[in-house]
Amino acid sequence: HTDVFSPYFRGASLKERIRYYLAVFLIPKADCLRVVSERIKNSIISHIAYRISHVSILPIFTDIKKFLEAKKDPIIEERFRNYDFKMIAVGRFVDKEKNFSMLIEMMKNFIKICPKAILVIVGDGPDREKYKIQITNHKLKNHVIIEAWRDDLESFYKSFDLFLLSSNYEGWGRTAIEATASGLPIVMTDVGVAGEFIKDGKNGSIVPVSDKDRFLRSCRDLYLDSEKRKSFISAGYESLKNLRIKSQQEYLKEYEKSIKLCLRS
């Protein structure tokens, strides 16, 4: 479910480095593998002599219909109505993986471009207090909000203008699929679904991992170019039509196929 061969993964901590060595030892002994993206499949094949025919790809299931059909929440609309440009990021508050600290740093410069911009980061985790301190130190309390995890993300997304994914590594990146289904253009680092679902310059903007300046430029360009945002949104809806799995029933059938592949192996 993640790219253990990414240098950002094994460099994140001692625990991740141990997991990397476990993967190097265990994967060659596996009868078969299920991975969540083409990126991980290619990463494994390029680092380990493993039979490509014994690797099946099954992305994490996303109920896109729920996000496509959701409506704006008037309460949320009212809450953010005084902002000219609203950005959102979602995920676990584990900075070595999600790198939300980069987004907070970026906001110092983005508000010089758009003084009435806001970034809402939704989630929870061990780095919550770290982010709050960072926001306070940069005097960004009016521009960056740490939001507790919400069970109404499908409607919450609808009140924003841009979705940001800043991860150092990902397996798939389901939130980018959800945001696309919610009608949001995407700016993301080159991880997970980047290149496989999000195509740079077509339905989103892809920047190198941890490149704060490039990330800022991409956000700035989309803020200044509403037509480009609309183009990304339209292309995003088209991309959703090409998703191989669109229902839970289809997902379960594909999961069964991956198990049968293993049995045949």
Side-chain angles (χ1 to χ4, degrees), residues 14-26:
L14 176 61
K15 182 174 68 175
E16 271 66 37
R17 181 164 288 274
I18 291 171
R19 286 174 168 169
Y20 162 74
Y21 286 117
L22 283 171
V24 170
F25 175 74
L26 290 170

Side-chain angles (χ1 to χ4, degrees), residues 61-111:
F61 174 67
T62 306
D63 186 359
I64 60 172
K65 183 179 179 181
K66 178 174 68 173
F67 291 87
L68 285 168
E69 295 178 350
K71 305 297 182 183
K72 290 183 179 181
D73 184 333
I75 296 174
I76 302 302
E77 286 287 289
E78 176 63 22
R79 179 181 169 189
F80 297 122
R81 70 181 177 86
N82 291 324
Y83 292 96
D84 292 337
F85 196 65
K86 295 160 286 187
M87 297 176 285
I88 183 171
V90 177
R92 295 186 304 145
F93 291 169
V94 180
D95 204 56
K96 65 185 181 183
E97 178 182 354
K98 301 301 183 183
N99 199 15
F100 290 140
S101 61
M102 181 182 75
L103 298 183
I104 298 171
E105 288 286 331
M106 181 197 74
M107 284 300 289
K108 291 191 302 181
N109 293 313
F110 191 83
I111 60 174

Side-chain angles (χ1 to χ4, degrees), residues 142-160:
N142 294 327
H143 299 282
V144 181
I145 293 177
I146 299 298
E147 183 86 2
W149 187 260
R150 305 181 63 101
D151 294 325
D152 62 343
L153 270 179
E154 60 272 18
S155 59
F156 195 70
Y157 276 131
K158 300 287 184 176
S159 293
F160 291 84

